[in-house]
């Protein structure tokens, strides 16, 4: 992927893992995840809806954190739950399990998934592995490893599928920040309008910006560009998750950015259960991933926005995501831009 960006010093895998697991040793990230009622309630319902497949069975919880999903599985009737957590929050998970009197059924294993040894194969794998833009942190790799090594043939994975979506958006806040420099002269008698180009380069940069996007700012119907079946997806496929997209704008506006989000699906006997991070649904702690164009582009109703998008691991740290987009808006020529996660998001999910 060297063609996508400038190469920096690559971190060795042990350093990558230390940075990742260390970020889960503080209470803040767990408070944020548990307080995300959309996330936690959907997992709870997804587990309970599959109680027939869980009751009396063995479950592996990959990246168990505080152990809340393991407890849901035990409540759903699991005979045994192996809760694997490499960070020091595993010590708190032991206390939480004991407090809920489930220590006879839930075993906390403080280790990386890839190093554990179990005495039996498992019937079910549960994991909350999703990061920003779905794949930041690459925890899905561990779920696939667990599937290939520990899951019985025909076993259940919760959730079982992930889908990625994209749509063009307008950003009035960015528009206001860029227009600000033209208002300085009227306020103070000093012309600073030449700052607009500099401001645009700073604001509409190559960062994957994690922000909530309002429905009113979405300029087209969502376009699904990738689907991952957790029963079959391979590590090789995760090295470059790509797809094409084509959106038609609703009306006259300005496109400032492309917005990426995901859903994950829990199978169910009747209706599948979907955890969505869409701007059309209630906000989650994942928000949306915003990819700013270099310049705003004016569009009209039915203007086509089309192209190809690729998500792949950063060369500097394989747990961090990069996104490359080739896009055409209306009659404009093709543009290309590569985005990466900025420092403030590198140790959180």
């Amino acid at each position: 992927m060297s063609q996508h960006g400038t190469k920096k010093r690559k971190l060795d895998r042990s350093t990558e893992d230390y940075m990742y697991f260390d970020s889960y040793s503080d209470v803040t990230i767990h408070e944020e995840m548990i307080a995300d009622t959309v996330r936690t309630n959907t997992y709870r319902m997804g587990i309970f809806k599959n109680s027939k497949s869980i009751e009396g069975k063995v479950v592996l919880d990959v990246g168990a954190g505080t152990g809340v999903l393991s407890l849901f599985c035990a409540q759903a009737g699991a005979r045994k739950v192996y809760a694997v957590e490499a960070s020091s929050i595993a010590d708190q998970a032991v206390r939480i399990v004991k407090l809920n009197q489930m220590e006879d059924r839930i075993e906390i294993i403080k280790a990386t998934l890839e190093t554990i040894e179990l005495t039996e194969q498992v019937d079910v794998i549960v994991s909350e592995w999703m990061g920003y833009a779905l794949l930041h942190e690459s925890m899905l790799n561990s779920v696939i490893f667990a599937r290939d090594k520990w899951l019985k043939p025909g076993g259940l994975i919760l959730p079982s599928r992930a889908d990625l979506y994209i749509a063009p958006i307008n950003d009035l806040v960015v528009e206001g920040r860029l227009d600000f420099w033209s208002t300085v002269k009227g306020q103070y008698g000093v012309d600073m309008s030449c700052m607009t180009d500099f401001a645009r380069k700073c604001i509409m940069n190559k960062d994957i910006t994690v922000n909530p996007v309002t429905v009113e700012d979405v300029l087209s119907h969502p376009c699904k560009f990738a689907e991952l079946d957790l029963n079959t997806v391979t590590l090789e496929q995760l090295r470059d998750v790509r797809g094409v997209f084509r959106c038609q704008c609703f009306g006259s506006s300005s496109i400032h950015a492309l917005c990426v989000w995901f859903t994950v699906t829990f199978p169910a006997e009747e209706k599948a259960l979907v955890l969505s991070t869409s701007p059309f649904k209630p906000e989650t702690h994942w928000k949306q991933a915003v990819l700013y164009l270099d310049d705003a582009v004016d569009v009209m109703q039915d203007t086509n926005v089309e192209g190809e998008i690729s998500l792949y691991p950063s060369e500097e740290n394989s747990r961090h995501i990069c996104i490359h987009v080739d896009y055409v808006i209306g009659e404009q020529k093709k543009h290309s831009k590569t985005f990466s996660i900025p420092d403030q998001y590198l140790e959180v999910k």
Side-chain angles (χ1 to χ4, degrees):
M1 288 294 173
S2 56
Q3 73 271 24
H4 289 311
T6 307
K7 187 163 185 177
K8 298 178 186 174
R9 181 176 63 88
K10 176 166 172 54
L11 299 175
D12 64 67
R13 187 65 201 222
S14 60
T15 305
E16 293 174 5
D17 288 350
Y18 172 79
M19 290 168 63
Y20 171 61
F21 293 123
D22 186 57
S23 71
Y24 283 84
S25 300
D26 183 71
V27 71
T28 307
I29 193 168
H30 298 283
E31 180 183 342
E32 181 183 47
M33 291 190 292
I34 298 289
D36 184 341
T37 54
V38 174
R39 164 203 179 266
T40 309
N41 272 330
T42 307
Y43 264 85
R44 185 170 182 259
M45 289 169 59
I47 288 166
F48 288 169
K49 275 179 176 283
N50 284 278
S51 58
K52 283 184 181 176
S53 301
I54 294 172
E55 197 170 350
K57 299 295 178 60
V58 179
V59 178
L60 175 59
D61 182 355
V62 179
T66 55
V68 65
L69 303 186
S70 295
L71 284 157
F72 292 159
C73 289
Q75 289 170 352
R79 171 174 64 81
K80 177 76 175 182
V81 183
Y82 296 103
V84 181
E85 174 56 50
S87 82
S88 61
I89 201 70
D91 301 331
Q92 302 306 316
V94 170
R95 299 178 67 196
I96 292 167
V97 167
K98 192 171 183 180
L99 185 64
N100 286 271
Q101 299 178 329
M102 289 287 190
E103 62 265 45
D104 59 328
R105 283 199 275 161
I106 300 174
E107 180 182 340
I108 305 294
I109 303 173
K110 189 177 179 180
T112 58
L113 187 283
E114 290 76 6
T115 62
I116 66 165
E117 287 299 330
L118 303 179
T119 57
E120 57 187 329
Q121 297 291 102
V122 304
D123 303 285
V124 181
I125 291 175
V126 64
S127 181
E128 196 276 78
W129 52 266
M130 302 84 72
Y132 296 131
L134 186 67
L135 297 175
H136 179 54
E137 293 190 330
S138 73
M139 191 176 143
L140 180 53
N141 292 23
S142 294
V143 177
I144 293 169
F145 182 95
R147 178 198 72 194
D148 293 346
K149 186 168 184 180
W150 298 114
L151 187 64
K152 291 177 182 175
L156 179 67
I157 304 177
L158 298 175
S160 60
R161 199 181 87 211
D163 298 291
L164 280 157
Y165 296 84
I166 191 169
I169 63 167
N170 173 260
D171 193 326
L172 293 174
V173 173
V174 165
E175 206 166 272
R177 289 182 67 188
L178 297 178
D179 289 344
F180 166 76
W181 297 103
S182 299
T183 69
V184 174
K185 187 174 182 180
Q187 188 82 19
Y188 303 114
V190 176
D191 190 345
M192 289 193 174
S193 58
C194 62
M195 283 283 288
T196 303
D197 284 343
F198 174 67
R200 185 181 293 107
K201 287 173 185 170
C202 292
I203 297 167
M204 301 177 74
N205 55 29
K206 294 182 177 182
D207 288 345
I208 298 171
T209 306
V210 178
N211 271 337
V213 173
T214 59
V215 176
E216 295 77 18
D217 292 337
V218 182
L219 300 181
S220 80
H221 291 296
C223 179
K224 182 165 83 168
F225 66 86
E227 179 179 316
L228 303 177
D229 181 346
L230 268 65
N231 295 292
T232 58
V233 69
T234 64
L235 293 175
E236 182 62 33
Q237 288 169 328
L238 292 184
R239 292 194 183 103
D240 188 7
V241 175
R242 64 172 57 230
V244 296
F245 60 90
R246 183 175 183 180
C247 308
Q248 285 191 312
C249 295
F250 292 141
S252 298
S253 188
S254 294
I255 298 178
H256 292 95
L258 299 169
C259 172
V260 173
W261 67 90
F262 65 87
T263 63
V264 295
T265 302
F266 295 81
E269 276 190 358
E270 295 164 14
K271 189 181 178 186
L273 190 66
V274 177
L275 168 53
S276 176
T277 64
S278 164
F280 297 93
K281 298 289 185 180
E283 187 180 326
T284 70
H285 78 282
W286 289 284
K287 305 180 178 72
Q288 287 83 38
V290 178
L291 314 173
Y292 285 104
L293 314 182
D294 288 331
D295 295 287
V297 179
D298 292 335
V299 293
M300 300 181 297
Q301 184 170 338
D302 296 332
T303 297
N304 281 330
V305 181
E306 55 191 311
E308 186 172 11
I309 180 168
S310 170
L311 288 70
Y312 58 93
S314 161
E315 288 190 351
E316 294 87 63
N317 186 332
S318 62
R319 286 195 178 273
H320 299 161
I321 192 174
C322 292
I323 302 178
H324 181 79
V325 189
D326 298 316
Y327 63 93
V328 176
I329 300 175
E331 301 300 314
Q332 287 202 340
K333 65 174 185 175
K334 185 173 87 170
H335 288 78
S336 298
K337 194 166 181 179
T338 302
F339 303 84
S340 58
I341 288 275
D343 288 348
Q344 69 261 38
Y345 301 119
L346 288 185
E347 295 188 7
V348 294
K349 182 170 73 171

